[in-house]
Amino acid sequence: MPPGPPPAAAPVRVHRAAPGEWPLVRATRLRALADSPGAFGSTLAREEAFDEATWRTRVADGDWFLARAGDEVVGIAAAVPSADDPADRELVSVWVDPAHRGGPTATGLVESSCAWAAALGASTVSLRVTDANPRARRFYERLGFRPTGERRPLPRDPALAEERMRRALER
């Protein structure tokens, strides 16, 4: 008997991480930094050194979102208050496991983050994307983010530049 079709992949669910899920946030963030070190302003070594109290505070003070396929965490994002504008939330730390890229996971993370930001009263969500990541830029543009023209050196590697993109939110 020939084999049947492969089993359907588990649907991806995105939820806001509860404070007690800080170990999952930590583990997923460290996976992200190990997998895609050039995509983030921080480094794996820096964040591996954070103690439990630091991770607990990060999860409690930021709005972290986890994407799950079944029991496996396959993506992460955070929407934190912008240092520049109280009406803006900044989308940071977006990462999707390589096996789940190109599907709905990244969109689910971004849309969940934006919906949460709108519910908190934000009028915009912004993010920064490096010039070295045109795929991410195109993805964010498809989701309604627009370049602001604001550029700066990437803090982790000043040889790279990053640009702020912003999306207006409907409330």
Side-chain angles (χ1 to χ4, degrees):
M1 178 174 204
V12 174
R13 300 175 335 275
V14 176
H15 73 280
R16 184 170 170 261
E21 291 181 294
W22 71 266
L24 283 174
V25 171
R26 178 187 186 275
T28 308
R29 175 68 173 156
L30 296 180
R31 278 177 48 212
L33 290 164
D35 173 70
S36 304
F40 303 104
S42 189
T43 65
L44 178 61
R46 177 179 176 264
E47 294 197 22
E48 280 180 326
F50 292 164
D51 63 9
E52 179 179 328
T54 300
W55 281 103
R56 286 181 179 276
T57 299
R58 289 182 90 189
V59 175
D61 291 351
D63 294 313
W64 289 84
F65 294 85
L66 297 172
R68 294 177 186 255
D71 292 333
E72 181 185 6
V73 178
V74 298
I76 191 168
V80 298
S82 172
D84 303 332
D85 181 354
D88 183 58
R89 299 291 278 192
E90 191 165 354
L91 185 62
V92 297
S93 304
V94 179
W95 175 81
V96 173
D97 184 276
H100 290 267
R101 291 180 187 156
T105 305
T107 299
L109 287 164
V110 172
E111 294 300 346
S112 294
S113 299
C114 288
W116 184 257
L120 293 175
S123 58
T124 59
V125 170
S126 64
L127 56 87
R128 296 182 187 275
V129 63
T130 67
D131 293 341
N133 198 344
R135 181 179 181 189
R137 178 181 295 277
R138 288 188 306 271
F139 167 73
Y140 291 125
E141 286 173 345
R142 282 193 305 273
L143 294 181
F145 287 85
R146 298 294 173 249
T148 64
E150 179 187 329
R151 301 178 60 76
R152 71 176 188 191
L154 183 65
R156 178 192 43 76
D157 182 356
L160 292 174
E162 61 182 3
E163 182 174 14
R164 178 176 275 188
M165 299 179 80
R166 183 170 282 127
R167 173 177 155 178
L169 299 176
E170 295 181 22
R171 291 195 251 173

